Amino acid sequence: MTHLEGVHNPLPVSPYKFYVLIETTGSDESYDKAKLEAFLLRSMEDGLVADGVIAQDISQASNFWRIREGISEASVKVGAVYKYDLSIPVEKLYDIVEEMRSRVGDTAEVLGYGHLGDGNLHLNILSSKYSDNILAQIEPFVYEWTAGHRGSISAEHGLGLMKAEKIHYSKSPEAVQLMASIKKLMDPNSILNPYKVLPQSALSPEQGS
């Protein structure tokens, strides 16, 4: 809310630790709205939800999504951002956020958001500038923690280029070698998405054969 322009806080007097954004679709707007309101009321009565608001039109719904989708954009305006896209068992999803806050202390701000249904956590560590000291507090801890809790170091956006060498935290040596063999078979000249996903250490021996 501080760094993102053009958004309005739908719950200005409700400073809670967690917010969940839910979107539903249906064929009968009035009936669907009544069901959603009943669901929210029942959830509040059961103590599952402390407060909530329902978008009354497409403009309000767009504002809700703008807040959620603008987190990454707002984070960049703080300065340096260390980003991790993790897959973690839902019951452990937020634990790494709290542990990371303990590790970095006052030197950085730690944000955790993502997709509750499938255990996909976007872990962002924010600081005014990049620092070797902060990075040393984050890596390899974030990878070791994720591997130790049966998670994956790469979720929604794939492994990519920067984390290709970290694949062993999520895959066994045998699995990586099998992937490299398939890569060599299907892409002998290594022209498809080069340097991504698989570490060069897994590909080089085969490329030289």
Side-chain angles (χ1 to χ4, degrees):
M1 306 308 300
T2 302
H3 299 285
L4 202 62
E5 297 180 0
V7 296
H8 306 284
N9 191 343
L11 295 167
V13 293
S14 303
Y16 296 108
K17 188 174 182 179
F18 298 104
Y19 294 84
V20 179
L21 179 60
I22 300 174
E23 182 173 89
T24 64
T25 59
S27 57
D28 186 327
E29 183 176 352
S30 60
Y31 180 59
D32 296 331
K33 182 179 179 181
K35 287 196 297 182
L36 188 58
E37 290 175 345
F39 165 75
L40 179 59
L41 179 60
R42 185 170 65 253
S43 298
M44 293 176 68
E45 291 174 343
D46 292 343
L48 180 64
V49 174
D51 199 357
V53 62
I54 298 175
Q56 300 302 306
D57 52 43
I58 190 64
S59 177
Q60 288 187 4
S62 296
N63 177 65
F64 290 0
W65 277 111
R66 172 65 174 147
I67 295 171
R68 165 59 182 84
E69 295 174 343
I71 296 176
S72 181
E73 175 187 339
S75 298
V76 172
K77 295 181 180 180
V78 174
V81 186
Y82 302 86
K83 296 186 176 184
Y84 300 88
D85 181 29
L86 311 172
S87 178
I88 300 171
V90 173
E91 66 273 13
K92 296 287 185 179
L93 189 63
Y94 206 71
D95 290 3
I96 191 171
V97 177
E98 296 173 333
E99 290 199 34
M100 190 62 71
R101 284 175 179 161
S102 297
R103 287 181 65 85
V104 300
D106 296 332
T107 61
E109 181 179 2
V110 182
L111 303 179
Y113 65 100
H115 312 274
L116 185 61
D118 63 5
N120 178 200
L121 177 74
H122 300 300
L123 179 68
N124 286 8
I125 296 94
L126 285 58
S127 182
S128 58
K129 61 181 180 180
Y130 288 104
S131 160
D132 290 341
N133 180 55
I134 293 177
L135 182 59
Q137 293 295 318
I138 300 171
E139 297 182 13
F141 171 79
V142 64
Y143 301 127
E144 294 171 346
W145 190 98
T146 302
H149 289 81
R150 300 179 295 107
S152 171
I153 66 167
S154 180
E156 182 182 11
H157 299 295
L159 198 62
L161 176 63
M162 295 179 65
K163 297 176 182 174
E165 297 294 333
K166 312 294 185 183
I167 194 173
H168 63 275
Y169 286 103
S170 294
K171 300 293 183 182
S172 68
E174 294 79 10
V176 174
Q177 197 54 56
L178 178 60
M179 293 166 70
S181 297
I182 295 173
K183 168 77 170 176
K184 176 66 175 178
L185 178 65
M186 304 299 293
D187 181 25
N189 296 320
S190 196
I191 60 175
L192 303 177
N193 236 3
Y195 311 112
K196 295 183 179 180
V197 181
L198 291 171
Q200 289 305 297
S201 58
L203 293 173
S204 296
E206 290 197 14
Q207 288 180 334
S209 61

